[in-house]
Amino acid sequence: MKSSDFYKRAEMLMPGGVSSPVRAIKPYPFYTVGAAGAKLVTADERELIDCCLGFGPLILGHAHPGVREAIEKQLASGWLYGTPTPLELDLAELIISDHPGLEMIRFVSSGSEATMAAIRLARGFSGKSDIVKVEGGFHGAHDAVLVKAGSGATTLGVPNSAGVLPDLVSHTRQVPFNDPEALEAMLAKNDDIAAFILEPVMGNIGLILPDDGYLAAVREITAAHDVLLIFDEVITGYRVGVGGAQVAYGVSPDLSTFGKIIGGGLPIGAFGGRRDIMEMVAPSGPVYQAGTFSGNPASLAAGLATIRYLHMHRDLYGAMEDAARAIDEAVSGRGSGTFVRLGSMFKYFFREAPPRNYLEVQECDTAAFGRFWAGMLSEGIFLPPSQFETNFLSTAHAGREIEEITAAYRKCLSE
Ligand SMILES: *Cc1c(COP(=O)(O)O)cnc(C)c1O
């Protein structure tokens, strides 16, 4: 069976033939039947170098032996208890010790759940009803954050999905990224804002870096207006380094959300922050939050193995950054676009200068991206299939893979 045959079956079985929309590559997605290290093996018997890496979690690459061993060991002792387990204490202590300002944590099963709970908690703690997010910022697939991007700094949120009630998202306001003045104006004008939630490094509209001083300004402005600051570190946690963006940029939020890497490739999410806020969560406080699979032992084991490995091999962050720099240098001067990178995250934008916000990223030539993406795939490189997703490297991307990626970029950007 080939990918095209699988997709014919899939179209009858699942909406758009997929389990998540971004996977619906045209004319049909390739089906993966195996993976190891930096590579995916497709049903069409191709080996592809993977720069999507499950959209971020697999920082040690596919089927990493240490993580696999930890999962296998856990499976032998059961994979769901419905009771507390010592593993969650180990992972909680690790994550808390890596993030100054983080005092308590609660595990959930996805990043979406983490931001949903953090927003509810911010409202419950403050008694205020509105939230502010960044235009183009992604916080998962729950109602409060499914707001049309680019609706402007002053207007109330408008749903960007059918089925989301306008009433509900009218409590979600938006400001552009890298614009402290817009945030200041928003918070000065409205006194019913519980929290400002943002990705400290935007990773879901390509890769947009914070200007120098932006995150510090955001910290100051939110504190001055008594608005909670939530960093959504679902991508950046353990990706931009141990301690995520909050340590890399030296700014401590009141609440943080995590996911992706902290589960080592198995489903997970977490939210945490200041003790006085976290103690509002049930059962110690009145803000309800619960989940059958929360603190799943297999996810905890995979996450622990991943984070412990990263602790023991901190030089790997430098090695991944060197690899991204090598791609950057090889690409420089090719094509008319621009290369943006941070650590092991990188993106080539079909736009002259690096975008600073959602409005600017919209100016990218997405048709050119589509041709480039298909070219890269035929060269054996799988990039996330959108101009608006970030590329990742793992510790399994060694010299040979980086050379192949580099050669493919050079070829596909000069066509
Ligand atoms: C992936 C992501 C989420 C959603 O996480 P899921 O596990 O897919 O629900 C939330 N926020 C950010 C920043 C993400 O990158």
Side-chain angles (χ1 to χ4, degrees), residues 115 138-139 197-200 230-236 257-258:
T115 65
F138 181 74
H139 306 293
I197 183 168
L198 79 163
E199 301 169 75
I230 307 175
F231 275 4
D232 183 352
E233 298 237 39
V234 171
I235 282 190
T236 48
T257 55
F258 302 96

Side-chain angles (χ1 to χ4, degrees), residues 90-114:
D90 292 345
L91 190 57
E93 280 172 355
L94 257 188
I95 295 174
I96 286 170
S97 69
D98 284 336
H99 298 82
L102 194 76
E103 295 175 313
M104 293 184 112
I105 195 165
R106 163 74 51 95
F107 291 108
V108 295
S109 297
S110 71
S112 296
E113 252 187 276

